[in-house]
Amino acid sequence: MNDSSWGAPPQAGYWGPSDQGPVQGAAPAGPAYDAHHAQQTRPMPIVPDVPAHGGDQDDDRGAARTGGPLFRDETPPPSTPPPSQASSQHPLNPQEPMTSAAQPASAPQKKNAGRDLGAAIGVGVGLGVVIVASLFVVKAAFVGVITVAVVVGLWELTSRLAERKDIKAPLVPLALGGAAMVVAGYVRGPEGAWVAMALTALAVLVWRMTEPPEGYLKDVTAGVFAAFYIPFLATFVAMMLTADDGAKRVLTFLLLAVVSDTGAYAVGWRFGRHKLAPRISPGKTREGLLGAIAFAMVAGALCMQFLIDGGTWWQGLILGFAVAGSATLGDLGESMIKRDLGIKDMGTLLPGHGGIMDRLDSLLPTAPVVWLLLVLFVGSV
């Protein structure tokens, strides 16, 4: 078929021989059709040019194509369909794939909480029972709980550093020094904690000398960081416990941290729209931070008024505000560590929560803040 098939149709229904010889795609050569046979020739249907999508048209209207389907709504079949079927079809955009049925619109997705709430609540309740029982029965038992949490946290951190960064912070001196740090803080106060911290750092330096010097600097640097980040900060919880109302101080610290985290989670999940730090933790929102502050300030006012000896509600407002800020910074700090390591959780020990470090991230930096403010507000005894 020659290029005239894309222009106006012949006037007499007769298709004469081409003056330019055979055309690609034309029928095989045969006897010429004369006027007698022209009466039996079926005229080619005319397909009107319909704009695709009602917009600008980039198709080749009026230009002949040397190959491909004749009509715009045709797909190249094994055999050409009858013209009557082709003319009955609706013209479509040749660039759009033909589908047998319209695709249904996807249903809007509900917000996902992002964690197994059942397991998280169950583990949280179990930990709360252990903590409260040890806290109000025997203070020394709670010091043991702190020590176990510190050792497990050190194991998780050093394991992830070795797996993801090939940093081999020595666990043995860290675990022994961390446990000694917590006990020293409980027995001797801040002076004992600082001395234990210095001795732990020295032990890390000496212990690493027994191995080849390659990677010594990064290993001992990570070890000293781990000693400060986990056991030293946890020592402030043990120092809160030494006051006469120490159990109530520790309970206030735990309640404010949990309430702050709960407020941020609930408000952020329901109303969160504006990201707080998308490069560090995409799930945290400014609305969640406001929720954390509001919840923590209310809880702080109640705790200082009814739990802490000599405390007042306005001190609780300050305490709650400070806890919300330090807890959020603690979350962001650990998120930075996990992003650098390329992991989502520090461990899998606690179903619905991750690892121990995934629960201590907001508690550790909050402990010295609460300890200091309580000392300033009501004293250290």
Side-chain angles (χ1 to χ4, degrees):
M1 188 177 296
N2 57 22
D3 292 347
S4 64
S5 63
W6 286 87
Q11 295 180 355
Y14 169 74
W15 299 86
S18 173
D19 296 337
Q20 299 177 356
V23 180
Q24 183 178 0
Y33 288 80
D34 54 14
H36 173 72
H37 294 88
Q39 300 297 329
Q40 302 177 357
T41 303
R42 302 176 64 181
M44 300 298 293
I46 301 174
V47 180
D49 288 314
V50 180
H53 302 291
D56 296 336
Q57 301 172 43
D58 295 331
D59 54 352
D60 299 325
R61 291 187 300 165
R65 290 184 290 183
T66 58
L70 175 63
F71 302 105
R72 290 185 298 167
D73 58 341
E74 282 185 346
T75 56
S79 60
T80 305
S84 59
Q85 292 182 0
S87 62
S88 63
Q89 298 176 355
H90 297 286
L92 299 173
N93 190 342
Q95 296 180 355
E96 292 183 352
M98 298 182 66
T99 57
S100 57
Q103 296 293 334
S106 59
Q109 304 233 351
K110 294 182 179 180
K111 284 187 177 182
N112 189 355
R115 66 174 76 172
D116 186 348
L117 284 180
I121 293 173
V123 171
V125 170
L127 291 176
V129 170
V130 172
I131 290 173
V132 172
S134 61
L135 186 60
F136 287 96
V137 175
V138 181
K139 288 184 177 181
F142 185 72
V143 175
V145 172
I146 300 173
T147 303
V148 171
V150 162
V151 173
V152 175
L154 287 169
W155 169 71
E156 287 182 348
L157 179 59
T158 55
S159 298
R160 302 296 88 77
L161 289 174
E163 292 170 1
R164 308 297 298 184
K165 295 292 186 179
D166 196 28
I167 298 176
K168 300 175 182 179
L171 178 60
V172 173
L174 284 173
L176 294 176
M181 217 178 298
V182 173
V183 175
Y186 178 70
V187 175
R188 302 294 298 178
E191 296 84 359
W194 277 113
V195 171
M197 173 64 198
L199 293 177
T200 301
L202 181 60
V204 168
L205 298 176
V206 174
W207 188 280
R208 181 56 181 80
M209 290 179 183
T210 60
E211 298 181 10
E214 290 77 16
Y216 177 83
L217 184 59
K218 66 177 183 179
D219 292 346
V220 298
T221 302
V224 174
F225 164 74
F228 175 83
Y229 180 48
I230 301 177
F232 181 75
L233 293 181
T235 301
F236 287 92
V237 183
M239 289 191 292
M240 289 184 213
L241 199 58
T242 59
D244 294 337
D245 58 346
K248 295 179 180 180
R249 295 192 184 198
V250 173
L251 181 62
T252 298
F253 155 70
L254 295 174
L255 284 175
L256 293 185
V258 172
V259 168
S260 172
D261 183 62
T262 303
Y265 178 75
V267 175
W269 179 74
R270 180 62 181 85
F271 302 103
R273 296 293 182 272
H274 305 88
K275 300 297 182 182
L276 177 63
R279 292 186 178 182
I280 302 175
S281 183
K284 289 182 174 54
T285 61
R286 299 175 187 176
E287 292 82 2
L289 176 59
L290 294 178
I293 294 173
F295 277 53
M297 290 180 70
V298 172
L302 294 175
C303 289
M304 287 297 294
Q305 185 69 36
F306 299 107
L307 282 181
I308 304 301
D309 297 337
T312 58
W313 64 270
W314 64 266
Q315 295 172 338
L317 294 178
I318 298 174
L319 182 63
F321 183 85
V323 167
S326 62
T328 302
L329 290 176
D331 284 337
L332 294 176
E334 178 138 340
S335 295
M336 284 286 285
I337 296 174
K338 290 189 286 189
R339 280 192 169 274
D340 188 24
L341 296 177
I343 58 177
K344 184 179 183 295
D345 295 319
M346 280 290 186
T348 58
L349 187 62
L350 304 177
H353 294 266
I356 286 288
M357 286 303 300
D358 296 300
R359 292 299 87 199
L360 296 181
D361 53 1
S362 60
L363 294 174
L364 290 173
T366 302
V369 173
V370 174
W371 175 83
L372 178 61
L373 288 178
L374 289 177
V375 169
L376 294 176
F377 289 154
V378 296
S380 58
V381 295

